């Protein structure tokens, strides 16, 4: 969800409509309000999938961003489901598509395809888009490009089970997931050719790339870096997960550090389960959310972490020096303890900041009573000394009534989405969430 900086009553949300259990949706749909959220118009963004006048079977990963002049930009992952018949283990054709709206989300330009892939070894995935809040000419798009081995593209039986990438499989050494980046320098009229800005090497990957821009204009790309232990300084099975970042001082032309990125913090997460039946929840495990406060340049990050009490909870860290150093992670969700510790889980966090106030949302199961798998959505805030857990308070319950998580669509777990919308209009925090 985003708010128009030229008109705070213009709020736009974006979601997948008619989601398939094996990935993607029939289309990505915008909800547009011009009265601060009191009423809404629901509008499929045209030209993305075949049911909205486009050429692709499915869309996923909807993302929005307003430029400072009020131009609204969208980005979507598009794909066809079936790989070539001679390579049943590979991906179908896929790509990244963008368009823009000059009237607050009511009408949209002809989509532009940033990248297109028909080799079944590759999937462009987990995109985001950020319009530069200080310069309407610049818009940034970023994502990861997943690669499987040639053998896996031919024979899916070559995929070996184990704890690894987000799909829960372990791939061969041809597997990798570097970062791809594209930008517009003319307000989204045209886009430069997509290019790789960080390569993890074999058997490693990035996921969840998000760009934020500091008040001085420095562009930061945050991502989760998944390092196979054989490629890191750790030992034992599995992966190490890091919240990492790259910096650009010239609006995305060049990125540094060269080599390894800045690794802000290690993340420890395995995903939530429902408190009674222990059904898997497909949540934000190994993902994160980031925000920058335009008033002071402080950076904030939240993610799910088990380091505090052995269950999924909301971890928070902050940087006051442009991302070079980060505070020690703290638990900030206000979920009370419970005789059933799974009712104390907190997950799917989002963060936003404005004028010295930091807001965070999350789900938890505190009100579960065994009559279902009952969950609620919550908001908390901090106004000073946010690296101290005691500074987080003002918890607000956003759901009027608890909802049964078992009604969520099942797609490798009970799935409400990888992200929850949280924005700011400079004073308030509009929130969009599923329940």
């Amino acid at each position: 969800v985003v708010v128009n900086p030229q008109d705070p009553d213009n709020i736009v949300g974006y979601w997948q409509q008619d989601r398939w259990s094996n990935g993607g949706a029939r289309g990505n749909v915008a909800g547009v309000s011009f009265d601060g959220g009191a009423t809404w118009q629901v509008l499929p963004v045209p030209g993305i999938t075949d049911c909205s006048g486009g050429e692709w079977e499915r869309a996923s990963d909807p993302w929005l961003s307003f430029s400072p002049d009020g131009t609204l930009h969208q980005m979507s992952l598009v794909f066809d489901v079936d790989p070539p018949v001679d390579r049943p283990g590979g991906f179908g054709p896929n790509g990244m598509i963008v368009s823009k709206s000059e009237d607050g989300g009511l009408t949209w330009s002809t989509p532009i395809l940033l990248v297109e892939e028909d080799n079944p070894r590759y999937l462009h995935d987990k995109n985001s888009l950020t319009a530069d809040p200080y310069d309407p000419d610049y818009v940034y798009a970023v994502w990861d490009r997943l690669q499987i081995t040639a053998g896996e593209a031919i024979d899916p039986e070559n995929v070996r089970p184990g704890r690894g990438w987000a799909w829960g499989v372990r791939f061969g050494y041809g597997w990798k997931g570097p970062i791809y980046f594209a930008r517009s320098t003319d307000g989204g009229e045209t886009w430069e050719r997509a290019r790789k800005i960080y390569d993890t090497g074999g058997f490693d990957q990035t996921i969840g790339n998000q760009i934020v821009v500091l008040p001085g204009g420095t562009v930061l790309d945050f991502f989760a870096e998944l390092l196979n232990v054989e490629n890191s300084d750790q030992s034992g099975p599995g992966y190490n997960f890091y919240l990492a970042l790259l910096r650009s001082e010239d609006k995305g032309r060049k990125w540094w550090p060269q080599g390894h990125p800045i690794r802000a913090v290690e993340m420890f997460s395995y995903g939530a389960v429902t408190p009674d039946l222990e059904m898997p929840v497909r949540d934000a495990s190994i993902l994160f959310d980031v925000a920058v406060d335009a008033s002071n340049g402080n950076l904030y990050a939240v993610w799910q972490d088990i380091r505090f009490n052995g269950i999924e909870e909301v971890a928070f860290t902050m940087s006051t020096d442009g991302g070079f150093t980060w505070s020690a992670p703290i638990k900030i969700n206000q979920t009370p303890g419970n005789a059933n510790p799974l009712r104390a889980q907190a997950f799917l966090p989002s963060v936003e900041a404005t004028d010295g106030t930091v807001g965070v949302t999350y789900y938890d199961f505190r009100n579960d009573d065994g009559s279902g798998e009952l969950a609620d959505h919550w908001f908390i805030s901090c106004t000073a000394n946010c690296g101290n857990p005691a500074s987080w308070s003002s918890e607000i319950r956003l759901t009027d009534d608890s909802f049964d998580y078992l009604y969520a669509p099942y797609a490798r777990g009970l799935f409400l989405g990888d992200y929850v919308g949280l924005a700011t209009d400079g004073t308030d925090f509009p929130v969009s969430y599923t329940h």
Side-chain angles (χ1 to χ4, degrees):
V1 65
V2 290
V3 180
N4 190 338
Q6 294 292 320
D7 178 6
D9 287 333
N10 180 200
I11 304 172
V12 185
Y14 203 24
W15 64 88
Q16 298 182 40
Q17 183 64 46
D18 299 334
R19 169 83 185 188
W20 296 84
S21 62
N22 63 346
R26 292 187 186 274
N28 287 339
V29 172
V32 181
S33 176
F34 290 97
D35 54 14
T39 61
W40 296 83
Q41 300 178 64
V42 177
L43 304 164
V45 176
I48 296 180
T49 58
D50 52 16
C51 73
S52 62
E55 299 180 356
W56 298 87
E57 293 178 0
R58 300 186 187 184
S60 188
D61 294 357
W63 209 274
L64 293 177
S65 187
F66 269 111
S67 288
D69 64 358
T71 301
L72 179 60
H73 302 268
Q74 75 82 24
M75 183 179 185
S76 301
L77 162 63
V78 288
F79 65 98
D80 294 340
V81 177
D82 295 326
V85 294
D86 60 336
R87 286 182 276 189
F91 302 111
N94 60 90
M96 294 292 173
I97 201 166
V98 295
S99 56
K100 67 176 184 174
S101 173
E102 304 285 0
D103 56 9
L106 295 178
T107 62
W108 293 83
S109 65
T110 301
I112 296 173
L113 195 61
L114 298 183
V115 67
E116 183 176 11
E117 192 71 64
D118 59 9
N119 186 327
R121 290 186 62 190
Y122 299 100
L123 174 68
H124 295 269
D125 189 39
K126 217 82 193 96
N127 53 284
S128 71
L129 178 144
T130 302
D132 192 312
Y134 306 104
D135 189 336
D137 287 337
Y138 284 84
V139 190
Y140 311 108
V142 66
W143 64 94
D144 60 84
R145 182 180 187 246
L146 303 177
Q147 172 184 309
I148 59 177
T149 66
E152 288 154 354
I154 296 171
D155 182 4
E157 296 302 319
N158 283 342
V159 177
R160 301 187 301 276
R163 187 176 77 84
W165 174 61
W167 292 83
V169 294
R170 182 172 179 169
F171 291 90
Y173 280 95
W175 174 262
K176 61 171 63 177
I179 300 171
Y180 271 67
F181 169 82
R183 69 174 187 169
S184 173
T185 62
D186 56 10
E189 288 293 320
T190 62
W191 286 77
E192 295 176 354
R193 182 178 179 180
R195 56 191 171 90
K196 182 166 52 179
I197 61 172
Y198 175 56
D199 195 338
T200 57
F203 212 3
D204 295 335
Q205 78 161 96
T206 69
I207 194 170
N209 286 267
Q210 288 188 49
I211 283 178
V212 299
V213 184
L214 296 176
T218 297
V219 181
L220 306 180
D221 176 38
F222 288 83
F223 54 95
E225 186 180 28
L226 283 62
L227 297 178
N228 172 47
V229 293
E230 296 176 30
N231 296 339
S232 72
D233 58 0
Q234 305 297 313
S235 61
Y239 285 75
N240 301 126
F241 303 149
Y242 292 94
L243 174 61
L245 66 143
L246 300 174
R247 297 172 53 89
S248 175
E249 306 286 351
D250 55 7
K251 295 183 179 293
R253 290 187 63 227
K254 297 179 182 178
W255 295 85
W256 64 275
Q258 301 294 313
H260 293 314
I262 298 171
R263 290 174 180 147
V265 65
E266 190 168 3
M267 302 186 293
F268 303 92
S269 177
Y270 296 98
V273 296
T274 62
D276 305 311
L277 299 176
E278 299 189 20
M279 293 281 289
V281 173
R282 183 177 166 188
D283 50 24
S285 181
I286 77 171
L287 297 174
F288 61 90
D289 195 22
V290 292
V292 59
D293 191 332
S295 68
N296 55 27
N298 288 350
L299 292 159
Y300 308 99
V302 293
W303 69 98
Q304 293 174 213
D305 207 293
I306 64 169
R307 73 178 71 206
F308 307 109
N309 294 293
I311 57 173
E312 301 291 319
E313 296 176 292
V314 178
F316 171 88
T317 185
M318 62 181 291
S319 174
T320 59
D321 61 4
F324 290 102
T325 61
W326 293 81
S327 63
I330 60 169
K331 170 196 163 185
I332 61 169
N333 60 286
Q334 306 295 298
T335 313
N338 193 288
N340 178 354
L342 296 180
R343 291 176 179 165
Q345 297 172 104
F347 52 97
L348 267 173
S350 296
V351 63
E352 190 53 85
T354 183
D355 199 24
T357 298
V358 187
V360 172
T361 58
Y362 52 88
Y363 290 92
D364 72 22
F365 291 111
R366 73 179 71 183
N367 291 320
D368 178 63
D369 59 7
S371 61
E373 303 282 13
L374 301 184
D376 288 281
H377 200 55
W378 303 86
F379 175 89
I380 55 172
S381 62
C382 171
T383 57
N385 194 22
C386 294
N388 183 349
S391 299
W392 290 87
S393 59
S394 304
E395 187 180 47
I396 300 171
R397 183 183 180 184
L398 301 178
T399 39
D400 293 329
D401 299 293
S402 301
F403 67 96
D404 191 343
Y405 219 95
L406 292 177
Y407 284 98
Y410 196 90
R412 303 194 315 274
L414 298 167
F415 186 46
L416 296 184
D418 292 321
Y419 304 103
V420 174
L422 178 61
T424 179
D425 61 8
T427 303
D428 298 320
F429 290 88
V431 184
S432 67
Y433 58 95
T434 309
H435 68 91

